[in-house]
Amino acid sequence: MAFGRSSRRTAPIEPVTLKILVAGGFGVGKTTLVGAVSEIRPLRTEESLTEAGAVVDDLSGVESKTTTTVAMDFGRITLREDLVLYLFGTPGQDRFWFLWDELAQGALGAVVLADTRRLSDCFAAVDYFERRGIPFAVAVNRFEGAEPFPPETVRGALDLDPEVPLLMGDARDRESVKGILVSVVEHALARVDRDREPAAR
């Protein structure tokens, strides 16, 4: 019995799935970033800001913000047929940082979103990933009205190692966010390859 081309079936490609964290200060755009690229309806755990939280939530610079993430944001994006990213947005407020250790388990790398109007808000995230050896990139989210500082100025202010990618982008723009995620994956995989190299004799 002869088999034509139409009867041949190629085995489906089993994609590699990677976990990426999206971190940064309160109101920096983490939920927006995940929503901008997710090919599924993003899971969001947002609650309305209340007067009770006013004593612990600093709204300076984000006075129009009315909700906050209390657990995580979750989304998924297929970068290639064989590569899928699961995105986990971390809560930005101090009182929810106890969740970070759980979310960080199994993460390949992270994006630290920064707002130049409140740059100190991302210090904690930078410190967290440095201390745990998790590869990360810093992405400056361009907000209207924010002064466009040169990358070297931002890098110096955050005291970033030269190898840490520093990117400029827009958390609302799908292509911009995809570029940021690709940079994070490339940086993280390069770190993995470098760590696997045998020590020079």
Side-chain angles (χ1 to χ4, degrees), residues 66-147:
T66 59
T67 61
T68 183
T69 298
V70 296
M72 67 172 185
D73 298 309
F74 173 76
R76 183 187 72 199
I77 177 174
T78 302
L79 288 183
R80 297 193 313 249
E81 185 180 8
D82 59 346
L83 180 59
V84 174
L85 300 186
Y86 290 129
L87 307 177
F88 290 79
T90 65
Q93 295 147 289
D94 299 10
R95 67 183 188 276
F96 297 123
W97 282 353
F98 67 91
L99 295 168
W100 283 37
D101 287 342
E102 292 292 329
L103 293 175
Q105 289 187 21
L108 174 75
V111 178
V112 176
L113 269 183
D115 178 353
T116 56
R117 301 169 302 176
R118 297 157 50 103
L119 201 55
S120 61
D121 286 3
C122 70
F123 287 174
V126 169
D127 183 63
Y128 181 89
F129 297 124
E130 285 181 342
R131 286 178 179 273
R132 285 157 180 79
I134 298 174
F136 69 96
V138 174
V140 176
N141 190 13
R142 294 194 180 101
F143 284 91
E144 293 180 10
E147 187 173 346

Side-chain angles (χ1 to χ4, degrees), residues 26 49-50 73 76 107 114 135 138 151 153 164:
F26 176 56
L49 291 169
T50 64
D73 298 309
R76 183 187 72 199
V138 174
T153 301
V164 176

Side-chain angles (χ1 to χ4, degrees), residues 137-189:
V138 174
V140 176
N141 190 13
R142 294 194 180 101
F143 284 91
E144 293 180 10
E147 187 173 346
F149 291 101
E152 314 82 60
T153 301
V154 177
R155 181 177 291 277
L158 295 176
D159 193 26
L160 296 177
D161 289 338
E163 69 167 19
V164 176
L166 177 63
L167 313 159
M168 303 292 166
D170 185 339
R172 302 166 298 180
D173 183 78
R174 179 178 175 83
E175 291 305 312
S176 178
V177 173
K178 282 178 66 175
I180 291 168
L181 295 174
V182 168
S183 295
V184 171
V185 171
E186 289 176 345
H187 171 59
L189 292 178

